[in-house]
């Protein structure tokens, strides 16, 4: 594969929340002890189920789906609680989005490495109005250009239109691009419809995506340079408005 521009999703591709710790604290207050890894896997499987069965929901304002999501998570763990009480506890524990989303340890390093190798690096994300604040707090805002967010452009993945908007802003062709995200139905399907190559992040091997075939799967963005840079050696540098991006 030869690419000159790499696009990224945001949530659970570049940034994450320590949501499992808040959930475990709630359980402790209810007198229940569950291991953190079991809770992490349950969240992962909940994410994948919502991505598959309810496309686009996880990119909306959180209050529109949160009790529904937490209710399913509880059910998957064999638990049941007063959802109003539980969701209030979890939301208050996590605080404002820009404070609770953190960059994965490898994210900034990989973005800088790609830019230093003259790849264009941008963002296409289904996200609410907090997206830029989240990026700034995570230290990633100045490493991505352009930044295309569904709540700002009025269209969401997997609609090819959001990818076309991004391509136009970057001044690149779809066949020059690779899209990297953790949601097969939004990220892989959407980017393919727009003519881009794609790479799917799944941190638990095939768990939660057993129904998917033919996707290029990696565990994290940290694996990208080993797969992408050698194959793109000697490929022309990405140029935006007549200048080479460094």
């Amino acid at each position: 594969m030869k690419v000159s521009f790499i696009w990224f999703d945001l949530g659970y591709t570049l940034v994450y929340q320590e949501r499992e710790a808040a959930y475990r604290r709630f359980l402790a207050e209810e007198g229940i002890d569950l291991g953190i890894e079991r809770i992490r896997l349950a969240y992962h499987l909940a994410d994948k189920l919502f991505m598959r069965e309810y496309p686009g929901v996880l990119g909306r304002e959180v209050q529109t789906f949160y009790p529904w999501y937490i209710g399913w998570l509880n059910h998957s763990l064999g638990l049941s609680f007063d959802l109003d009480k539980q969701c209030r506890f979890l939301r208050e524990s996590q605080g404002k989005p820009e404070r609770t989303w953190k960059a994965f340890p490898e994210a900034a390093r990989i973005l800088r490495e790609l830019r230093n190798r003259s790849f264009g690096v941008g963002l296409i994300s289904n996200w609410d109005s907090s997206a830029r604040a989240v990026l700034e707090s995570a230290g990633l805002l100045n490493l991505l250009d352009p930044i295309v967010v569904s709540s700002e452009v009025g269209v969401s993945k997997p609609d090819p239109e959001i990818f076309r908007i991004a391509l136009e802003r970057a001044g690149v062709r779809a066949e020059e691009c690779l899209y990297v995200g953790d949601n097969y139905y939004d990220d892989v399907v959407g980017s393919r419809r727009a003519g881009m190559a794609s790479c799917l992040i799944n941190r638990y091997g095939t768990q939660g995506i057993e129904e998917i075939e033919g996707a290029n799967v990696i565990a994290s963005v940290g694996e990208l340079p080993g797969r992408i840079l050698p194959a793109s050696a000697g490929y022309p540098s990405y140029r935006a408005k007549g200048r080479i991006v460094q």
Side-chain angles (χ1 to χ4, degrees):
M1 178 191 303
K2 291 185 177 181
V3 299
S4 64
F5 203 106
I6 303 176
W7 298 94
F8 291 89
D9 174 46
L10 183 52
Y12 290 91
T13 297
L14 296 176
V15 300
Y16 71 101
Q17 287 181 311
E18 293 181 335
R19 52 189 178 171
E20 299 87 356
Y23 188 91
R24 195 178 189 206
R25 286 196 299 273
F26 176 81
L27 294 186
E29 291 201 359
E30 297 293 317
I32 299 170
D33 182 25
L34 276 185
I36 194 71
E37 285 304 319
R38 184 177 174 191
I39 297 170
R40 285 197 179 105
L41 178 58
Y43 266 102
H44 171 79
L45 295 176
D47 287 345
K48 299 307 174 184
L49 178 134
F50 270 72
M51 290 171 184
R52 180 176 65 250
E53 301 295 336
Y54 313 111
V57 166
L58 296 181
R60 298 176 187 169
E61 296 287 343
V62 69
Q63 65 269 19
T64 66
F65 68 85
Y66 198 59
W68 176 20
Y69 178 95
I70 293 298
W72 190 93
L73 180 69
N74 292 339
H75 177 74
S76 73
L77 290 168
L79 302 171
S80 179
F81 303 106
D82 178 327
L83 278 178
D84 286 340
K85 173 185 174 182
Q86 185 183 19
C87 289
R88 185 167 56 252
F89 177 94
L90 295 175
R91 294 294 302 279
E92 290 174 355
S93 296
Q94 291 175 320
K96 294 183 178 180
E98 60 268 27
R99 294 206 302 265
T100 61
W101 288 95
K102 301 178 180 180
F104 281 109
E106 69 276 10
R109 174 180 59 82
I110 294 300
L111 295 179
R112 290 191 183 97
E113 181 176 349
L114 293 172
R115 288 166 61 93
N116 288 340
R117 294 290 295 269
S118 296
F119 285 85
V121 180
L123 182 93
I124 306 171
S125 178
N126 287 355
W127 206 275
D128 62 21
S129 57
S130 68
R132 292 178 187 271
V134 167
L135 285 166
E136 184 171 19
S137 178
L140 304 178
L141 184 63
N142 294 329
L143 297 176
L144 297 154
D145 182 36
I147 292 169
V148 179
V149 181
S150 60
S151 61
E152 297 176 358
V153 299
V155 63
S156 302
K157 301 176 295 183
D159 190 327
E161 183 60 22
I162 192 170
F163 296 93
R164 295 189 188 110
I165 290 170
L167 291 170
E168 182 176 352
R169 290 186 181 181
V172 293
R173 301 185 306 274
E175 56 267 29
E176 299 175 63
C177 297
L178 173 72
Y179 189 84
V180 182
D182 70 313
N183 184 331
Y184 176 81
Y185 300 95
D186 283 354
D187 300 332
V188 175
V189 172
S191 60
R192 283 178 177 174
R193 287 175 179 169
M196 297 181 186
S198 60
C199 192
L200 178 66
I201 290 178
N202 203 62
R203 299 175 191 278
Y204 286 86
T206 60
Q207 290 191 75
I209 59 168
E210 291 86 354
E211 78 282 6
I212 293 170
E213 296 181 358
N216 182 20
V217 181
I218 59 176
S220 74
V221 295
E223 295 184 11
L224 271 177
R227 294 203 182 192
I228 305 305
L229 296 184
S232 299
Y235 198 72
S237 299
Y238 160 63
R239 294 177 180 270
K241 298 180 181 178
R243 68 184 187 278
I244 296 179
V245 174
Q246 299 294 340

